[in-house]
Amino acid sequence: MNKLLQIAGGAVLIYICIVLGIAVIPAIDLSKTPPGPDVKPLTALQAEGRDVYAANGCGYCHTQQVRPLPEDKVFGRPSAPGDFAYQTPELLGSERTGPDLTNVGSSKPSDVWQYIHLFDPRAVVPESIMPNFKFLFRVVTTVPPGETAVPVPAAFAPKEGQVVPTAQAKALVAYLLSLKQTSIPGYGMNGGMGGMTSAAPAAMPASPSTSASASGGYNYDAAKGRALFTANCSACHQATGEGVPGAFPPLKGNAAVDSADPTLHIHTVLQGAHGVTIGGVAYSSVMPPFAAQLSDAEIANIINYERSSWGNHARAVTPSDVAAVRAKGQ
């Protein structure tokens, strides 16, 4: 009996030592990790949204960790310990059926886009396999005072009534918009703000309809232009360039995109836009600035893709054109 007690006691002691060594002590050490630069605690509304995110199983399909691998570059810089200082427990996820959401608040900063995407993902991402979350919305005949209807495209909207978000939807969107990477010295924000795919699209062969040239012997890379547009722009403006009616403006036939003077087009990509009216239609959604995320050459490739697609035939721009507008801060 004494031997059994000794063996049992020894086994328990070994188990305790193992737990302390590989779990408790490292956890205590990690808990002392200071927050990264500009990393802030969640607000009460954002924290509520985090609970909604977890309760609805979003973490089963979406990760919140950017690995230091080439295929993760599209999602942002590699994650750092300080990014999770106020996230307990961390919702890292384990599978990417959908894209990583570490930086979705920067790549998709429009609450309008987020609401439409939750109501019916196919309305903004046609190839999406994500289930809809219509139960987070109400369909009303008259929009209550203080509420704003979600401009769901007609093909996806209810036959009658208007769509308004519930308190849970508002909290969830507030949480999603809080997911923004901050700049860390030595890391840097890489090219690409995160698209709706888990990796940058494969290069597409250039075709006459997507080729353009500029003075000075510069020829833009049509394949890169298309890939960059798909990763950074197509979720809102759509692959067709037609945007989402009432939510995101079209690029097809857009006067700024098809103008002989590319200054406004370049400025918009560099600095973003909010509250624009195009073709008599007002768009209140937010377009993020890309000045800090994309190089002059990458922005030139995107702009040239837009200026030579969907029937647009404007002259091509060069990286020097982009640099000139960037330098002026226009």
Side-chain angles (χ1 to χ4, degrees), residues 52-134:
V52 176
Y53 179 96
N56 284 280
C58 301
Y60 291 121
C61 295
H62 296 283
T63 57
Q64 289 186 36
Q65 52 175 321
V66 181
R67 302 167 299 179
L69 300 174
E71 57 264 35
D72 275 23
K73 183 180 179 182
V74 70
F75 299 123
R77 61 162 173 77
S79 296
D83 295 338
F84 307 101
Y86 300 113
Q87 301 281 341
T88 304
E90 298 83 356
L91 301 178
L92 301 181
S94 59
E95 184 175 344
R96 283 186 186 158
T97 303
D100 184 271
L101 300 181
T102 299
N103 202 35
V104 71
S106 292
S107 63
K108 305 291 182 298
S110 168
D111 58 350
V112 173
W113 189 94
Q114 298 290 350
Y115 283 131
I116 295 175
H117 185 245
L118 285 172
F119 185 79
D120 194 323
R122 264 69 55 192
V124 286
V125 187
E127 69 276 12
S128 176
I129 60 172
M130 173 178 156
N132 68 63
F133 287 80
K134 292 182 179 179

Side-chain angles (χ1 to χ4, degrees), residues 17 26 64 66-67 183 189 247 258 262 270 279-280 296 314 316:
C17 291
Q64 289 186 36
V66 181
R67 302 167 299 179
S183 180
M189 298 295 286
D258 213 19
L270 283 171
D296 294 338

Side-chain angles (χ1 to χ4, degrees), residues 41-278:
L42 298 177
T43 65
L45 182 63
Q46 292 165 352
E48 180 184 346
R50 188 175 189 269
D51 291 339
V52 176
Y53 179 96
N56 284 280
C58 301
Y60 291 121
C61 295
H62 296 283
T63 57
Q64 289 186 36
Q65 52 175 321
V66 181
R67 302 167 299 179
L69 300 174
E71 57 264 35
D72 275 23
K73 183 180 179 182
V74 70
F75 299 123
R77 61 162 173 77
S79 296
D83 295 338
F84 307 101
Y86 300 113
Q87 301 281 341
T88 304
E90 298 83 356
L91 301 178
L92 301 181
S94 59
E95 184 175 344
R96 283 186 186 158
T97 303
D100 184 271
L101 300 181
T102 299
N103 202 35
V104 71
S106 292
S107 63
K108 305 291 182 298
S110 168
D111 58 350
V112 173
W113 189 94
Q114 298 290 350
Y115 283 131
I116 295 175
H117 185 245
L118 285 172
F119 185 79
D120 194 323
R122 264 69 55 192
V124 286
V125 187
E127 69 276 12
S128 176
I129 60 172
M130 173 178 156
N132 68 63
F133 287 80
K134 292 182 179 179
F135 59 87
L136 294 178
F137 298 83
R138 294 181 296 136
V139 178
V140 298
T141 302
T142 303
V143 178
E147 297 282 354
T148 301
V150 179
V152 180
F156 301 89
K159 293 182 179 180
E160 296 181 357
Q162 299 187 71
V163 176
V164 295
T166 63
Q168 282 193 323
K170 293 177 182 178
L172 177 55
V173 167
Y175 171 64
L176 292 173
L177 294 180
S178 76
L179 298 177
K180 299 178 180 180
Q181 285 190 322
T182 58
S183 180
I184 296 180
Y187 272 73
M189 298 295 286
N190 60 50
M193 295 185 65
M196 296 308 297
T197 56
S198 60
M204 301 294 291
S207 64
S209 62
T210 58
S211 296
S213 60
S215 59
Y218 168 78
N219 287 285
Y220 98 94
D221 189 321
K224 286 184 178 179
R226 178 170 181 163
L228 285 164
F229 175 85
T230 300
N232 295 283
C233 315
S234 65
C236 292
H237 295 296
Q238 302 294 289
T240 60
E242 296 178 353
V244 177
F248 307 105
L251 301 178
K252 178 180 180 180
N254 186 310
V257 176
D258 213 19
S259 172
D261 182 358
T263 303
L264 178 58
H265 191 182
I266 295 172
H267 171 268
T268 301
V269 177
L270 283 171
Q271 305 300 333
H274 176 242
V276 299
T277 299
I278 298 174

Side-chain angles (χ1 to χ4, degrees), residues 19-33 90:
V19 171
L20 288 173
I22 67 175
V24 177
I25 294 176
I28 293 174
D29 187 52
L30 286 173
S31 69
K32 299 176 182 178
T33 301
E90 298 83 356

